[in-house]
């Protein structure tokens, strides 16, 4: 598969991931559970999330809107109408989101394969008062969220690589 083909596949993959994530956040904003109880949050924030605290409802609307923007940006990287968007902006967004999502999936940001693995292996002890919940959320993060963010991040970086390869030569 050529680099251009990988970039197109990455852009469409990023758009699909953004649409899936945005759909979930929209459902949560409208009152559905939609995996909200599987969100790896500290217990006090998790309770506020599940109680539909107005701040969390507002954040779901913002994230749903950001996901729509993500779909548009991903498609702008490979569709003809995207030529109207500055390439440098697309590059910054694609690489920035790709690196952020891969870092999140690996565990640099506290969640991810490393943190969840350490918690489930007993190397990093969970909070005593919430040990069962912490283990349950770590399993969900390890099996669902971290792979999802890794895939999404890989799609964004493939998009960024394709954009960089297509950048006009200077000289």
């Amino acid at each position: 598969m050529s680099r251009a083909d990988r970039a197109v596949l990455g852009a469409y993959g990023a758009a699909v991931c953004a649409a899936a994530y945005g759909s979930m956040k929209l459902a949560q904003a409208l009152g559905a559970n939609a995996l909200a109880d599987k969100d790896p949050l500290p217990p006090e924030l998790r309770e506020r999330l599940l109680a539909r605290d107005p701040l969390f409802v507002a954040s779901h609307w913002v994230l749903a809107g950001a996901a729509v923007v993500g779909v548009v940006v991903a498609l702008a990287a490979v569709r003809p109408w995207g030529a109207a968007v500055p390439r440098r902006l697309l590059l910054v967004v694609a690489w920035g989101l790709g690196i952020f999502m891969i870092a999140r999936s690996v565990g640099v940001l506290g969640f991810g394969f490393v943190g969840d693995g350490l918690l489930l292996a007993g190397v990093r002890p969970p909070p005593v008062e919430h040990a069962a919940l912490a283990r349950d959320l770590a399993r969900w993060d390890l099996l669902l969220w971290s792979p999802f963010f890794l895939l999404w991040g890989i799609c964004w970086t493939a998009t960024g690589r394709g954009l960089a390869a297509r950048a006009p030569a200077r000289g």
Side-chain angles (χ1 to χ4, degrees):
M1 181 181 297
S2 73
R3 180 181 279 197
D5 291 339
R6 285 191 301 267
V8 170
L9 184 61
Y12 282 111
V16 167
C17 288
Y21 187 78
S23 297
M24 180 189 66
K25 291 301 178 182
L26 178 61
Q28 290 173 350
L30 294 171
N33 183 0
L35 295 172
D37 61 333
K38 306 304 182 214
D39 207 332
L41 291 171
E44 59 279 357
L45 292 178
R46 184 174 185 275
E47 288 173 22
R48 289 177 56 196
L49 169 70
L50 296 176
R52 301 204 30 84
D53 180 284
L55 179 66
F56 278 98
V57 174
S59 74
H60 293 320
W61 283 108
V62 169
L63 290 170
V68 170
V69 172
V71 170
V72 172
V73 169
L75 294 178
V78 292
R79 303 298 303 157
W81 52 265
V85 180
R87 182 169 307 286
R88 186 164 286 169
L89 176 63
L90 293 175
L91 275 165
V92 167
V93 171
W95 279 108
L97 287 173
I99 291 167
F100 172 77
M101 290 178 181
I102 291 170
R104 188 269 181 234
S105 72
V106 171
V108 174
L109 305 175
F111 305 106
F113 296 118
V114 173
D116 296 332
L118 291 174
L119 188 136
L120 292 172
V123 175
R124 188 183 84 197
V128 176
E129 64 277 7
H130 303 288
L133 176 62
R135 284 188 192 93
D136 185 48
L137 294 178
R139 278 191 221 60
W140 274 98
D141 190 60
L142 190 63
L143 297 174
L144 175 65
W145 300 120
S146 291
F148 177 76
F149 280 105
L150 179 61
L151 172 65
W152 201 0
I154 289 170
C155 288
W156 277 119
T157 55
T159 304
R161 286 189 67 194
L163 283 166
R166 287 196 329 247
R170 295 183 186 203

